[in-house]
Amino acid sequence: PLCRSSITRNKLFAPSFLESKDTVVIAHYKDVAKSAKLAALVENLRQLQDSSSGEQVIVFSQFSSFLDILERDLGEAFGKDKAEIYKFDGRLSLKERSTVLKEFQEKDFSKQKILLLSLKAGGVGLNLTCASYAYMMDPWWSPSMEDQAIDRIHRIGQTNNVKVFRFIIEGSIEEKMLRIQERKRTIGEAMDADQEERRKRRIEEIKTLFE
């Protein structure tokens, strides 16, 4: 936080105890553990590559930092010869967004095209009917945000069946967010016209997350 310089993996260290537990050894940090969601995504994409070549897929996340991790690790998993990876989020300028979309929409049967898309940036105004597979890496508080993002793929002009995969960690807060989403769909967010009623329901939703 003080030097304002970029941190690379070879600058990360971790302490470890010897068998005597009295001596601490400092060694380079080995980032061997991978995200369970990332591993599942890679496996799904590999199966898709084996069954159908030249597919264009969208990977949604609400976290730009997670998109950065996906860009790095998917690039390592597939390489340039098997997949072309694009990233679209709020950090891009209008010109950069236009360039990314144009390149992604061009069909290439020699490799898989993967667009890493921010849920907010991809919620409205985009036409992504060139893709027919969507992977939702994390649930959003409001189900309408997810619906709007998927509608960028499933809209007029789409000629294929759209398949949506959602990755949810079992036993985590994400399962509770799914229950909140289901309740929102049932009662309808638009019905909460009264501000006080909206406030009460939001408090109830927060309590549900921490039960």
Side-chain angles (χ1 to χ4, degrees):
L2 298 179
C3 64
R4 301 291 187 264
S5 298
S6 299
I7 297 178
T8 57
R9 291 189 181 189
N10 63 352
K11 294 181 181 178
L12 297 178
F13 295 86
S16 60
F17 290 91
L18 298 180
E19 291 183 2
S20 63
K21 297 185 179 180
D22 295 327
T23 306
V24 178
V25 176
I26 303 298
H28 276 286
Y29 173 68
K30 296 182 179 180
D31 186 15
V32 293
K34 294 291 184 181
S35 162
K37 287 188 178 184
L38 178 58
L41 175 63
V42 169
E43 181 62 26
N44 273 262
L45 292 177
R46 280 180 175 154
Q47 291 176 3
L48 182 58
Q49 285 181 347
D50 293 338
S51 61
S52 179
S53 61
E55 284 290 349
Q56 289 154 280
V57 303
I58 315 287
V59 180
F60 289 100
S61 176
Q62 58 184 302
F63 304 107
S64 295
S65 56
F66 190 31
L67 294 180
D68 294 339
I69 294 173
L70 289 172
E71 181 182 30
R72 180 196 68 202
D73 288 5
L74 289 179
E76 293 176 355
F78 295 107
K80 282 283 187 180
D81 57 329
K82 291 187 177 180
E84 193 72 36
I85 301 171
Y86 305 88
K87 186 170 61 178
F88 186 109
D89 60 20
R91 295 172 291 186
L92 298 182
S93 66
L94 290 177
K95 184 178 180 180
E96 290 172 330
R97 293 186 183 197
S98 178
T99 301
V100 167
L101 290 179
K102 182 179 179 181
E103 292 180 358
F104 174 72
Q105 290 170 346
E106 293 176 353
K107 196 71 175 176
D108 185 351
F109 291 98
S110 65
K111 62 180 67 176
Q112 191 178 61
K113 285 194 169 185
I114 304 170
L115 178 62
L116 308 176
L117 188 56
S118 165
L119 204 57
K120 284 187 176 180
V124 293
L126 298 181
N127 187 335
L128 298 171
T129 54
C130 61
S132 55
Y133 286 82
Y135 296 89
M136 312 295 293
M137 300 306 294
D138 35 71
W140 185 251
W141 183 272
S142 170
S144 60
M145 286 290 295
E146 290 186 16
D147 294 342
Q148 288 175 4
I150 294 171
D151 284 345
R152 300 309 97 208
I153 306 172
H154 189 264
R155 60 185 301 178
I156 294 175
Q158 179 60 263
T159 58
N160 300 314
N161 291 327
V162 176
K163 299 176 180 63
V164 180
F165 299 84
R166 303 174 77 191
F167 294 95
I168 303 296
I169 298 296
E170 184 179 4
S172 72
I173 196 173
E174 293 182 341
E175 289 189 331
K176 297 177 182 179
M177 291 185 71
L178 289 184
R179 293 202 295 269
I180 291 175
Q181 283 190 358
E182 188 60 33
R183 187 169 64 178
K184 283 178 175 288
R185 293 183 191 277
T186 303
I187 32 183
E189 294 177 274
M191 298 297 291
D192 296 340
D194 181 74
Q195 185 175 355
E196 181 64 21
E197 182 66 22
R198 287 201 302 270
R199 188 185 69 84
K200 289 181 179 179
R201 286 188 175 169
R202 180 55 60 90
I203 293 174
E204 290 176 2
E205 291 167 359
I206 294 174
K207 287 181 178 179
T208 300
L209 292 177
F210 292 96
E211 287 176 351

